[in-house]
Amino acid sequence: METSIVGVGVGITDRFRTVVEEKLGRLQPLAAKAQRIDVKVTHRAYRGGRVPDETVELTLVGKGPVVRAEAVDGDKFVALDLAVDKLAEQLRRAKEKRIDGRQHPRGAHFEKGSGSIAGIDVQPASADVLQAVATGTVPVQTDEDEVYSPVVIRTKNFDAEWMTVEEAVDRMELVGHDFFLFVDVRTDHPSVVYRRKGWDYGVIALATQAPPSAEALAS
């Protein structure tokens, strides 16, 4: 498996590279089809007396979905340990979920006959949430802004991906997040799957209003 290590605001020493190779050896049995793993170390300094920290991001690239994990600590070696542990746990959970799904199907599944989705708590986004997003009521801080705030909201832009709810749940498990944003192939609605308890998940979908009928336009 090819390894790429880059540092942003911090130098990458030979000792750190050696430790990375040793730690990533734990992932080989869990990611047999992985082709490359990218390691990004970012040093962040803050105003207001906040102690600087190091963020280690791991991105596993292979024939399947991309798997990501990250951790933050004042010591980049500790952050690396935490990130590797997270990535290993995500890979183990994904493997166990595939095995469990084959042996005991449960959770979300699509009923082809009725067109319904069983095992999913579906609810539309509230009008207040939509209004807050549309008007920018919630203040957003970008990566370029380093002014200290107890609540930091960072923005990331991704290309839209069409997939089923089941595929979105799998992708969420692989990236280690509590939610995953996608476009439902069955409805074309922007949707979010989120983790509840155990293997239970929920879905929030933005329902679009149907265009007016020809009769309504003619009247």
PDB file of all heavy atoms in Angstrom, residues 10 29 44-45 58 77 91 108-109 112 115 122-123 129 133 135 141 147 169-170 173 175 180 187 192 206:
ATOM      1  N   VAL A  10       3.917  22.510   9.394  1.00  0.00           N
ATOM      2  CA  VAL A  10       4.755  21.693  10.269  1.00  0.00           C
ATOM      3  C   VAL A  10       5.656  20.813   9.399  1.00  0.00           C
ATOM      4  O   VAL A  10       5.250  20.358   8.316  1.00  0.00           O
ATOM      5  CB  VAL A  10       3.893  20.812  11.201  1.00  0.00           C
ATOM      6  CG1 VAL A  10       3.017  19.861  10.402  1.00  0.00           C
ATOM      7  CG2 VAL A  10       4.749  20.051  12.185  1.00  0.00           C
ATOM      8  N   PRO A  29      -4.459  -5.841   7.434  1.00  0.00           N
ATOM      9  CA  PRO A  29      -5.437  -6.943   7.443  1.00  0.00           C
ATOM     10  C   PRO A  29      -6.876  -6.468   7.267  1.00  0.00           C
ATOM     11  O   PRO A  29      -7.737  -7.233   6.811  1.00  0.00           O
ATOM     12  CB  PRO A  29      -5.237  -7.581   8.834  1.00  0.00           C
ATOM     13  CG  PRO A  29      -3.888  -7.136   9.266  1.00  0.00           C
ATOM     14  CD  PRO A  29      -3.710  -5.759   8.702  1.00  0.00           C
ATOM     15  N   ARG A  44      -1.965  24.107  13.809  1.00  0.00           N
ATOM     16  CA  ARG A  44      -2.834  25.273  13.934  1.00  0.00           C
ATOM     17  C   ARG A  44      -2.436  26.082  15.162  1.00  0.00           C
ATOM     18  O   ARG A  44      -2.292  25.539  16.260  1.00  0.00           O
ATOM     19  CB  ARG A  44      -4.301  24.860  14.057  1.00  0.00           C
ATOM     20  CG  ARG A  44      -4.869  24.241  12.790  1.00  0.00           C
ATOM     21  CD  ARG A  44      -6.372  24.077  12.904  1.00  0.00           C
ATOM     22  NE  ARG A  44      -6.944  23.502  11.699  1.00  0.00           N
ATOM     23  CZ  ARG A  44      -7.240  24.191  10.597  1.00  0.00           C
ATOM     24  NH1 ARG A  44      -7.023  25.491  10.568  1.00  0.00           N
ATOM     25  NH2 ARG A  44      -7.763  23.602   9.548  1.00  0.00           N
ATOM     26  N   ALA A  45      -2.251  27.376  14.943  1.00  0.00           N
ATOM     27  CA  ALA A  45      -1.980  28.306  16.036  1.00  0.00           C
ATOM     28  C   ALA A  45      -3.184  29.235  16.187  1.00  0.00           C
ATOM     29  O   ALA A  45      -3.774  29.663  15.193  1.00  0.00           O
ATOM     30  CB  ALA A  45      -0.714  29.112  15.745  1.00  0.00           C
ATOM     31  N   LEU A  58      -6.265  10.997   8.012  1.00  0.00           N
ATOM     32  CA  LEU A  58      -5.940   9.790   7.254  1.00  0.00           C
ATOM     33  C   LEU A  58      -7.022   9.552   6.211  1.00  0.00           C
ATOM     34  O   LEU A  58      -8.212   9.560   6.537  1.00  0.00           O
ATOM     35  CB  LEU A  58      -5.842   8.569   8.181  1.00  0.00           C
ATOM     36  CG  LEU A  58      -4.882   8.661   9.370  1.00  0.00           C
ATOM     37  CD1 LEU A  58      -4.945   7.391  10.200  1.00  0.00           C
ATOM     38  CD2 LEU A  58      -3.459   8.921   8.895  1.00  0.00           C
ATOM     39  N   PHE A  77       2.231  12.867  17.337  1.00  0.00           N
ATOM     40  CA  PHE A  77       2.340  11.418  17.490  1.00  0.00           C
ATOM     41  C   PHE A  77       1.100  10.858  18.196  1.00  0.00           C
ATOM     42  O   PHE A  77       0.603   9.787  17.834  1.00  0.00           O
ATOM     43  CB  PHE A  77       3.606  11.060  18.278  1.00  0.00           C
ATOM     44  CG  PHE A  77       4.878  11.290  17.517  1.00  0.00           C
ATOM     45  CD1 PHE A  77       5.558  12.485  17.634  1.00  0.00           C
ATOM     46  CD2 PHE A  77       5.381  10.317  16.664  1.00  0.00           C
ATOM     47  CE1 PHE A  77       6.735  12.709  16.922  1.00  0.00           C
ATOM     48  CE2 PHE A  77       6.548  10.521  15.949  1.00  0.00           C
ATOM     49  CZ  PHE A  77       7.227  11.726  16.073  1.00  0.00           C
ATOM     50  N   LEU A  91     -13.124   0.565   9.879  1.00  0.00           N
ATOM     51  CA  LEU A  91     -12.976  -0.577   8.974  1.00  0.00           C
ATOM     52  C   LEU A  91     -13.552  -1.847   9.599  1.00  0.00           C
ATOM     53  O   LEU A  91     -14.196  -2.640   8.916  1.00  0.00           O
ATOM     54  CB  LEU A  91     -11.499  -0.778   8.626  1.00  0.00           C
ATOM     55  CG  LEU A  91     -10.859   0.314   7.761  1.00  0.00           C
ATOM     56  CD1 LEU A  91      -9.357   0.125   7.683  1.00  0.00           C
ATOM     57  CD2 LEU A  91     -11.473   0.319   6.362  1.00  0.00           C
ATOM     58  N   ALA A 108     -32.370  -0.436   7.653  1.00  0.00           N
ATOM     59  CA  ALA A 108     -33.066   0.128   6.502  1.00  0.00           C
ATOM     60  C   ALA A 108     -33.078  -0.839   5.327  1.00  0.00           C
ATOM     61  O   ALA A 108     -32.058  -1.429   5.006  1.00  0.00           O
ATOM     62  CB  ALA A 108     -32.393   1.427   6.084  1.00  0.00           C
ATOM     63  N   HIS A 109     -34.237  -1.016   4.709  1.00  0.00           N
ATOM     64  CA  HIS A 109     -34.311  -1.795   3.481  1.00  0.00           C
ATOM     65  C   HIS A 109     -35.494  -1.300   2.651  1.00  0.00           C
ATOM     66  O   HIS A 109     -36.490  -0.822   3.177  1.00  0.00           O
ATOM     67  CB  HIS A 109     -34.438  -3.298   3.766  1.00  0.00           C
ATOM     68  CG  HIS A 109     -35.636  -3.671   4.594  1.00  0.00           C
ATOM     69  ND1 HIS A 109     -35.650  -3.593   5.966  1.00  0.00           N
ATOM     70  CD2 HIS A 109     -36.870  -4.104   4.225  1.00  0.00           C
ATOM     71  CE1 HIS A 109     -36.826  -3.983   6.416  1.00  0.00           C
ATOM     72  NE2 HIS A 109     -37.592  -4.287   5.396  1.00  0.00           N
ATOM     73  N   LYS A 112     -39.516  -3.330  -2.603  1.00  0.00           N
ATOM     74  CA  LYS A 112     -39.732  -3.120  -4.029  1.00  0.00           C
ATOM     75  C   LYS A 112     -41.214  -3.123  -4.394  1.00  0.00           C
ATOM     76  O   LYS A 112     -41.646  -2.394  -5.282  1.00  0.00           O
ATOM     77  CB  LYS A 112     -38.998  -4.192  -4.833  1.00  0.00           C
ATOM     78  CG  LYS A 112     -37.484  -4.114  -4.715  1.00  0.00           C
ATOM     79  CD  LYS A 112     -36.814  -5.164  -5.583  1.00  0.00           C
ATOM     80  CE  LYS A 112     -35.300  -5.056  -5.492  1.00  0.00           C
ATOM     81  NZ  LYS A 112     -34.613  -6.082  -6.309  1.00  0.00           N
ATOM     82  N   GLY A 115     -42.717   0.156  -2.584  1.00  0.00           N
ATOM     83  CA  GLY A 115     -41.927   1.371  -2.778  1.00  0.00           C
ATOM     84  C   GLY A 115     -41.620   2.101  -1.483  1.00  0.00           C
ATOM     85  O   GLY A 115     -41.119   3.224  -1.496  1.00  0.00           O
ATOM     86  N   VAL A 122     -38.075   8.752   8.722  1.00  0.00           N
ATOM     87  CA  VAL A 122     -37.965   9.830   7.733  1.00  0.00           C
ATOM     88  C   VAL A 122     -38.766  11.032   8.203  1.00  0.00           C
ATOM     89  O   VAL A 122     -39.938  10.895   8.557  1.00  0.00           O
ATOM     90  CB  VAL A 122     -38.479   9.364   6.357  1.00  0.00           C
ATOM     91  CG1 VAL A 122     -38.319  10.480   5.334  1.00  0.00           C
ATOM     92  CG2 VAL A 122     -37.720   8.134   5.906  1.00  0.00           C
ATOM     93  N   GLN A 123     -38.153  12.186   8.206  1.00  0.00           N
ATOM     94  CA  GLN A 123     -38.855  13.401   8.569  1.00  0.00           C
ATOM     95  C   GLN A 123     -38.290  14.567   7.766  1.00  0.00           C
ATOM     96  O   GLN A 123     -37.105  14.625   7.497  1.00  0.00           O
ATOM     97  CB  GLN A 123     -38.708  13.679  10.070  1.00  0.00           C
ATOM     98  CG  GLN A 123     -37.260  13.940  10.507  1.00  0.00           C
ATOM     99  CD  GLN A 123     -37.146  14.124  11.996  1.00  0.00           C
ATOM    100  OE1 GLN A 123     -37.286  13.180  12.744  1.00  0.00           O
ATOM    101  NE2 GLN A 123     -36.890  15.338  12.421  1.00  0.00           N
ATOM    102  N   VAL A 129     -35.306  25.646  10.088  1.00  0.00           N
ATOM    103  CA  VAL A 129     -33.972  25.251   9.632  1.00  0.00           C
ATOM    104  C   VAL A 129     -33.723  25.740   8.215  1.00  0.00           C
ATOM    105  O   VAL A 129     -32.665  26.287   7.894  1.00  0.00           O
ATOM    106  CB  VAL A 129     -33.811  23.714   9.715  1.00  0.00           C
ATOM    107  CG1 VAL A 129     -32.514  23.275   9.035  1.00  0.00           C
ATOM    108  CG2 VAL A 129     -33.826  23.258  11.156  1.00  0.00           C
ATOM    109  N   VAL A 133     -30.823  28.494   7.008  1.00  0.00           N
ATOM    110  CA  VAL A 133     -29.823  28.190   5.986  1.00  0.00           C
ATOM    111  C   VAL A 133     -29.914  29.175   4.836  1.00  0.00           C
ATOM    112  O   VAL A 133     -28.904  29.670   4.313  1.00  0.00           O
ATOM    113  CB  VAL A 133     -29.994  26.744   5.472  1.00  0.00           C
ATOM    114  CG1 VAL A 133     -29.067  26.479   4.290  1.00  0.00           C
ATOM    115  CG2 VAL A 133     -29.694  25.754   6.586  1.00  0.00           C
ATOM    116  N   THR A 135     -31.129  32.273   4.753  1.00  0.00           N
ATOM    117  CA  THR A 135     -30.816  33.671   5.067  1.00  0.00           C
ATOM    118  C   THR A 135     -29.448  33.862   5.683  1.00  0.00           C
ATOM    119  O   THR A 135     -29.007  34.994   5.877  1.00  0.00           O
ATOM    120  CB  THR A 135     -31.868  34.232   6.042  1.00  0.00           C
ATOM    121  OG1 THR A 135     -31.850  33.445   7.254  1.00  0.00           O
ATOM    122  CG2 THR A 135     -33.258  34.165   5.429  1.00  0.00           C
ATOM    123  N   GLN A 141     -17.839  30.406   9.995  1.00  0.00           N
ATOM    124  CA  GLN A 141     -16.424  30.785  10.023  1.00  0.00           C
ATOM    125  C   GLN A 141     -15.667  29.879   9.073  1.00  0.00           C
ATOM    126  O   GLN A 141     -15.756  28.657   9.164  1.00  0.00           O
ATOM    127  CB  GLN A 141     -15.848  30.637  11.441  1.00  0.00           C
ATOM    128  CG  GLN A 141     -14.368  31.002  11.525  1.00  0.00           C
ATOM    129  CD  GLN A 141     -13.888  31.043  12.959  1.00  0.00           C
ATOM    130  OE1 GLN A 141     -14.584  31.535  13.835  1.00  0.00           O
ATOM    131  NE2 GLN A 141     -12.716  30.518  13.196  1.00  0.00           N
ATOM    132  N   VAL A 147     -10.076  33.760  14.165  1.00  0.00           N
ATOM    133  CA  VAL A 147     -10.539  34.455  15.356  1.00  0.00           C
ATOM    134  C   VAL A 147     -11.203  33.435  16.284  1.00  0.00           C
ATOM    135  O   VAL A 147     -12.077  32.681  15.861  1.00  0.00           O
ATOM    136  CB  VAL A 147     -11.529  35.581  14.992  1.00  0.00           C
ATOM    137  CG1 VAL A 147     -12.033  36.261  16.255  1.00  0.00           C
ATOM    138  CG2 VAL A 147     -10.856  36.585  14.059  1.00  0.00           C
ATOM    139  N   VAL A 169     -25.766   5.019   4.166  1.00  0.00           N
ATOM    140  CA  VAL A 169     -25.454   4.519   5.510  1.00  0.00           C
ATOM    141  C   VAL A 169     -24.071   3.865   5.521  1.00  0.00           C
ATOM    142  O   VAL A 169     -23.263   4.091   6.432  1.00  0.00           O
ATOM    143  CB  VAL A 169     -26.532   3.523   5.982  1.00  0.00           C
ATOM    144  CG1 VAL A 169     -26.086   2.803   7.252  1.00  0.00           C
ATOM    145  CG2 VAL A 169     -27.850   4.238   6.237  1.00  0.00           C
ATOM    146  N   ASP A 170     -23.779   3.070   4.494  1.00  0.00           N
ATOM    147  CA  ASP A 170     -22.466   2.433   4.414  1.00  0.00           C
ATOM    148  C   ASP A 170     -21.354   3.472   4.305  1.00  0.00           C
ATOM    149  O   ASP A 170     -20.299   3.345   4.937  1.00  0.00           O
ATOM    150  CB  ASP A 170     -22.415   1.482   3.209  1.00  0.00           C
ATOM    151  CG  ASP A 170     -23.278   0.245   3.413  1.00  0.00           C
ATOM    152  OD1 ASP A 170     -23.570  -0.071   4.582  1.00  0.00           O
ATOM    153  OD2 ASP A 170     -23.662  -0.384   2.416  1.00  0.00           O
ATOM    154  N   GLU A 173     -20.652   5.139   7.649  1.00  0.00           N
ATOM    155  CA  GLU A 173     -19.854   4.298   8.536  1.00  0.00           C
ATOM    156  C   GLU A 173     -18.376   4.347   8.161  1.00  0.00           C
ATOM    157  O   GLU A 173     -17.502   4.376   9.031  1.00  0.00           O
ATOM    158  CB  GLU A 173     -20.356   2.844   8.465  1.00  0.00           C
ATOM    159  CG  GLU A 173     -21.732   2.635   9.051  1.00  0.00           C
ATOM    160  CD  GLU A 173     -21.752   2.748  10.570  1.00  0.00           C
ATOM    161  OE1 GLU A 173     -20.668   2.831  11.181  1.00  0.00           O
ATOM    162  OE2 GLU A 173     -22.842   2.763  11.145  1.00  0.00           O
ATOM    163  N   VAL A 175     -16.647   6.785   6.653  1.00  0.00           N
ATOM    164  CA  VAL A 175     -15.963   8.050   6.937  1.00  0.00           C
ATOM    165  C   VAL A 175     -16.001   8.393   8.419  1.00  0.00           C
ATOM    166  O   VAL A 175     -15.364   9.356   8.852  1.00  0.00           O
ATOM    167  CB  VAL A 175     -16.566   9.220   6.125  1.00  0.00           C
ATOM    168  CG1 VAL A 175     -16.378   8.992   4.644  1.00  0.00           C
ATOM    169  CG2 VAL A 175     -18.044   9.406   6.453  1.00  0.00           C
ATOM    170  N   PHE A 180     -24.427  11.804   6.973  1.00  0.00           N
ATOM    171  CA  PHE A 180     -23.866  11.797   5.616  1.00  0.00           C
ATOM    172  C   PHE A 180     -24.880  12.442   4.678  1.00  0.00           C
ATOM    173  O   PHE A 180     -26.056  12.068   4.665  1.00  0.00           O
ATOM    174  CB  PHE A 180     -23.560  10.371   5.149  1.00  0.00           C
ATOM    175  CG  PHE A 180     -22.812  10.309   3.853  1.00  0.00           C
ATOM    176  CD1 PHE A 180     -21.436  10.458   3.819  1.00  0.00           C
ATOM    177  CD2 PHE A 180     -23.484  10.125   2.651  1.00  0.00           C
ATOM    178  CE1 PHE A 180     -20.738  10.423   2.623  1.00  0.00           C
ATOM    179  CE2 PHE A 180     -22.797  10.082   1.452  1.00  0.00           C
ATOM    180  CZ  PHE A 180     -21.413  10.232   1.444  1.00  0.00           C
ATOM    181  N   THR A 187     -35.741   9.560  -5.176  1.00  0.00           N
ATOM    182  CA  THR A 187     -36.603  10.741  -5.094  1.00  0.00           C
ATOM    183  C   THR A 187     -35.976  11.994  -5.686  1.00  0.00           C
ATOM    184  O   THR A 187     -36.676  12.980  -5.900  1.00  0.00           O
ATOM    185  CB  THR A 187     -36.959  11.038  -3.627  1.00  0.00           C
ATOM    186  OG1 THR A 187     -35.757  11.359  -2.908  1.00  0.00           O
ATOM    187  CG2 THR A 187     -37.633   9.837  -2.978  1.00  0.00           C
ATOM    188  N   VAL A 192     -30.158  13.535   4.243  1.00  0.00           N
ATOM    189  CA  VAL A 192     -29.088  13.276   5.212  1.00  0.00           C
ATOM    190  C   VAL A 192     -29.450  12.034   6.016  1.00  0.00           C
ATOM    191  O   VAL A 192     -30.553  11.963   6.580  1.00  0.00           O
ATOM    192  CB  VAL A 192     -28.887  14.466   6.179  1.00  0.00           C
ATOM    193  CG1 VAL A 192     -27.883  14.100   7.267  1.00  0.00           C
ATOM    194  CG2 VAL A 192     -28.422  15.699   5.433  1.00  0.00           C
ATOM    195  N   LEU A 206     -35.185  16.841   2.154  1.00  0.00           N
ATOM    196  CA  LEU A 206     -35.807  18.096   1.746  1.00  0.00           C
ATOM    197  C   LEU A 206     -36.817  17.782   0.646  1.00  0.00           C
ATOM    198  O   LEU A 206     -36.434  17.430  -0.475  1.00  0.00           O
ATOM    199  CB  LEU A 206     -34.755  19.086   1.240  1.00  0.00           C
ATOM    200  CG  LEU A 206     -33.705  19.536   2.258  1.00  0.00           C
ATOM    201  CD1 LEU A 206     -32.741  20.524   1.602  1.00  0.00           C
ATOM    202  CD2 LEU A 206     -34.378  20.188   3.447  1.00  0.00           C
TER     203      LEU A 206
END
